[in-house]
Each structure stands twice: as structure tokens, then as C-alpha cells.
Amino acid sequence: QLRLVESGGGLVQPGGSLRLSCAASGFTLDYFAIGWFRQAPGKEREGVSCVSSRDGSTYLADSVKGRFTIARDNAKNTVYLQMNSLKPEDTAVYFCAADTDPCSDSAADFASWGQGTQVIVSS
């Protein structure tokens, strides 16, 4: 089976940091583009970041550029989303997703999804 499991979410104060992990099983993550998406209550799922398998190129949404970074650890079959300088508007359920290259910021382009991990940014 193709399985993705997110972890690392939680409650953090504005300005704080979290590192989310997306662990893959049942397939080799290295051969897929891995995207991070988030969905806040009452809002559409939006693309946050993506890392390609072909050349390691990355995508970051303008709303998180300069604060978030995405990285692959192929040996651990895991992709990380490092989130710094968190803002209340970053509050959402964060999902990772996998599909073939190239990267996309559209959720419709990804076939395999994790269950999500909750991130709450609040004082």
C-alpha cells in the first residue's frame, strides 16, 4: 500500500517553530514529488510547498516564503517541512501528498495523501 503519515504538529506561540515530518511506506519516496498542503476550517486546501524527485527543486507559496523550508531525507524515506516565524494564519491541518513529477501547487494533481497533522499558532 501507498502510505504517508504526518507528524510533528501541535500548539505553538506566534513566532515559534515546528518541524513536520512526512514518512512514507509501501513505496520509495525518492521517486515522487512530495507536496505539503494545509486546510484551515472553512477554507480550501492550499499548496504550501513541494519538492521534486528529478532535481530536488522546491516550491514555496508566497505566504510562507522566507519562513518555511522543505527538505528530503531519502535514507529515512521522509520529507520535512521546517516552519519558522509561525503566524496565527498558519493555523491549519497540514497534509503531505505524493505523485509523479513535476511539482504542483494544486491538490487535484496529487493522488496519495496522509491523514494530516494539526498546527495551531496561538498565544
Side-chain angles (χ1 to χ4, degrees), residues 12-32:
V12 64
Q13 293 185 339
S17 298
L18 287 172
R19 188 179 74 163
L20 306 184
S21 298
C22 175
S25 62
F27 67 101
T28 301
L29 185 150
D30 183 44
Y31 296 104
F32 293 84

Side-chain angles (χ1 to χ4, degrees), residues 8-118:
L11 175 64
V12 64
Q13 293 185 339
S17 298
L18 287 172
R19 188 179 74 163
L20 306 184
S21 298
C22 175
S25 62
F27 67 101
T28 301
L29 185 150
D30 183 44
Y31 296 104
F32 293 84
I34 305 297
W36 282 98
F37 295 80
R38 66 186 182 186
Q39 188 164 21
K43 299 181 67 176
E44 295 182 347
R45 190 167 299 186
E46 64 173 332
V48 176
S49 186
C50 186
V51 58
S52 70
S53 64
R54 183 70 64 181
D55 59 5
S57 61
T58 60
Y59 159 82
L60 287 167
D62 288 341
S63 60
V64 304
K65 194 171 297 182
R67 300 187 298 119
F68 292 10
T69 57
I70 187 169
R72 310 181 74 112
D73 187 338
N74 291 334
K76 296 183 178 180
N77 217 25
T78 299
V79 168
Y80 302 98
L81 183 68
Q82 179 67 47
M83 307 188 296
N84 299 322
S85 302
L86 284 162
K87 304 175 180 179
E89 51 262 45
D90 296 318
T91 296
V93 177
Y94 283 71
F95 302 87
C96 65
D99 215 312
T100 54
D101 277 344
C103 272
S104 173
D105 63 356
S106 174
D109 290 333
F110 288 82
S112 300
W113 291 82
Q115 295 299 308
T117 184
Q118 178 74 59

